[in-house]
Amino acid sequence: MAEVASNQADHHQYESKNMSCKEKKSEAVNSHSRWGNIEGGETEESTENTRKTELLKKGFMEYGCPHYRRRCRIRAPCCNKIFDCRHCHNEAMNSISVDHKLRHDIPRHQVKQVICSLCGTEQQVQQVCINCGVCMAGYFCETCKLFDDDTSKKQYHCDGCGICRIGGRENFFHCFKCGCCYSIILKNSHPCVEGAMHQDCPVCCEYLFESRNDVTVMPCGHTIHINCLKDMREHYQYACPICSKSVSDMSKVWEKYDMGIAAIPMPEAYSNKTVWILCNDCGKTSNVKYHVVAQKCPNCKSYNTRQTRR
């Protein structure tokens, strides 16, 4: 009887263990079924995300104007007219055909309404259209109300300037005395001139602070368009139009002046004549011998001088 009881007990234990394995298998199957549903959900979610991504990219680089590639237009708060961008507005409203009393620039930071180029929905300034869901620009600045699909420009917003710049934040620094962003190369070498960028280009008279053309700093600290500086050099103008200091290293030129003056002696009547000069480069005043070609500064050896007294 003891053996039978023992066998029955062993049989019950086996059934108990076997049922436990079946339950675990069933749980695993149920668990697998649950994971299968989750994976299916992820696939659906992934498909939905793909659809949204494609929608956001719809019309990318296909809309815009000569100034910006973007998928929206702006309503100017000043005249309530619709333009592709602020530059389009400024060009149109400052043209010669417009009465000079009505000419004006758009206050860029006051733009409040934009129109989606794909669906035509007018809405408050935002990056994604509230109607069709398209992304109206790859780069968007809420402060400047700037939209631009061409992100290769490496746009960034400078708090010091208060506007967006291009070229990559890592390549520029903001000089608070000059009041503008300069290339990082000039960080420890440029001479600071207060408000240097808040003035017109001395050649073309375009306002430099908001100019879309490249600007450079001359050795004297004054600023100018790079292309305007090149034009000056092509016309043999090597002095700053504002302060008259040399805009580049002129030592080789001064050596040629030395040779030219040595080859052209002054007549005996003028051999002892002296004049007072002011050097445009170093700012020193000197009394030097007169020569019809040029007068050399004894302090810095520059010929960039002018007579002050006879």
Side-chain angles (χ1 to χ4, degrees):
M1 289 294 293
E3 290 179 1
V4 174
S6 177
N7 289 337
Q8 287 179 346
D10 291 341
H11 180 67
H12 285 303
Q13 289 177 2
Y14 173 78
E15 286 184 343
S16 176
K17 290 179 180 178
N18 194 37
M19 286 296 295
S20 177
C21 288
K22 286 181 180 179
E23 288 173 356
K24 288 182 180 178
K25 184 177 181 180
S26 177
E27 289 177 359
V29 170
N30 292 335
S31 176
H32 178 73
S33 177
R34 289 196 298 272
W35 280 109
N37 291 335
I38 293 173
E39 289 174 357
E42 287 180 344
T43 303
E44 291 176 3
E45 184 179 351
S46 178
T47 303
E48 179 65 16
N49 289 338
T50 302
R51 188 189 68 81
K52 288 182 179 179
T53 301
E54 291 176 352
L55 181 60
L56 289 172
K57 293 182 178 180
K58 187 177 180 181
F60 178 72
M61 296 293 286
E62 295 178 10
Y63 297 84
C65 62
H67 309 107
Y68 300 107
R69 306 309 299 169
R70 64 208 306 188
R71 286 162 279 178
C72 68
R73 293 176 294 165
I74 61 173
R75 183 177 291 280
C78 44
C79 53
N80 204 37
K81 295 181 180 180
I82 297 174
F83 295 89
D84 285 323
C85 74
R86 68 182 183 89
H87 297 295
C88 291
H89 169 279
N90 294 343
E91 289 174 2
M93 301 310 296
N94 288 289
S95 68
I96 196 169
S97 60
V98 178
D99 188 311
H100 70 278
K101 294 181 181 179
L102 301 177
R103 295 175 190 174
H104 64 278
D105 288 339
I106 189 172
R108 67 165 83 179
H109 295 96
Q110 296 178 24
V111 174
K112 296 181 179 179
Q113 297 293 116
V114 295
I115 299 92
C116 176
S117 298
L118 277 77
C119 70
T121 302
E122 185 166 351
Q123 56 204 284
Q124 291 185 347
V125 173
Q126 55 196 306
Q127 189 172 16
V128 178
C129 177
I130 59 174
N131 181 48
C132 66
V134 71
C135 179
M136 292 185 281
Y139 175 83
F140 167 68
C141 177
E142 188 175 3
T143 303
C144 297
K145 313 301 188 290
L146 176 61
F147 297 78
D148 197 352
D149 266 337
D150 187 5
T151 54
S152 64
K153 298 176 184 177
K154 296 184 178 180
Q155 303 94 329
Y156 69 97
H157 181 82
C158 174
D159 291 329
C161 291
I163 60 175
C164 289
R165 299 290 187 188
I166 62 173
R169 188 185 301 275
E170 69 280 3
N171 298 319
F172 292 86
F173 76 100
H174 183 83
C175 177
F176 288 93
K177 185 174 181 179
C178 295
C180 191
C181 288
Y182 289 144
S183 170
I184 199 73
I185 298 172
L186 301 173
K187 189 169 186 178
N188 298 316
S189 61
H190 81 284
C192 285
V193 174
E194 189 169 357
M197 286 290 289
H198 294 266
Q199 61 182 5
D200 296 338
C201 172
V203 174
C204 69
C205 298
E206 181 186 7
Y207 187 49
L208 291 171
F209 184 73
E210 295 184 346
S211 176
R212 292 181 292 115
N213 299 314
D214 292 336
V215 177
T216 187
V217 185
M218 292 180 283
C220 56
H222 293 117
T223 50
I224 189 173
H225 285 129
I226 290 179
N227 288 334
C228 291
L229 182 59
K230 289 180 180 178
D231 289 342
M232 282 177 50
R233 288 171 174 167
E234 288 175 0
H235 290 83
Y236 307 105
Q237 299 295 322
Y238 301 104
C240 171
I242 299 174
C243 66
S244 298
K245 289 187 177 182
S246 300
V247 297
S248 57
D249 182 8
M250 300 292 288
S251 56
K252 297 296 182 183
V253 178
W254 303 152
E255 288 177 5
K256 292 183 179 180
Y257 268 81
D258 286 336
M259 295 170 61
I261 290 174
I264 307 174
M266 292 294 292
E268 186 176 350
Y270 293 93
S271 60
N272 294 321
K273 180 181 173 72
T274 61
V275 292
W276 285 93
I277 62 169
L278 171 67
C279 179
N280 294 323
D281 287 337
C282 69
K284 299 291 184 180
T285 301
S286 310
N287 184 254
V288 298
K289 280 190 175 183
Y290 171 78
H291 197 281
V292 68
V293 175
Q295 279 67 238
K296 184 177 184 177
C297 173
N299 182 59
C300 66
K301 314 305 179 185
S302 169
Y303 280 98
N304 183 15
T305 61
R306 66 180 73 184
Q307 290 187 37
T308 57
R309 285 178 285 174
R310 293 188 179 277

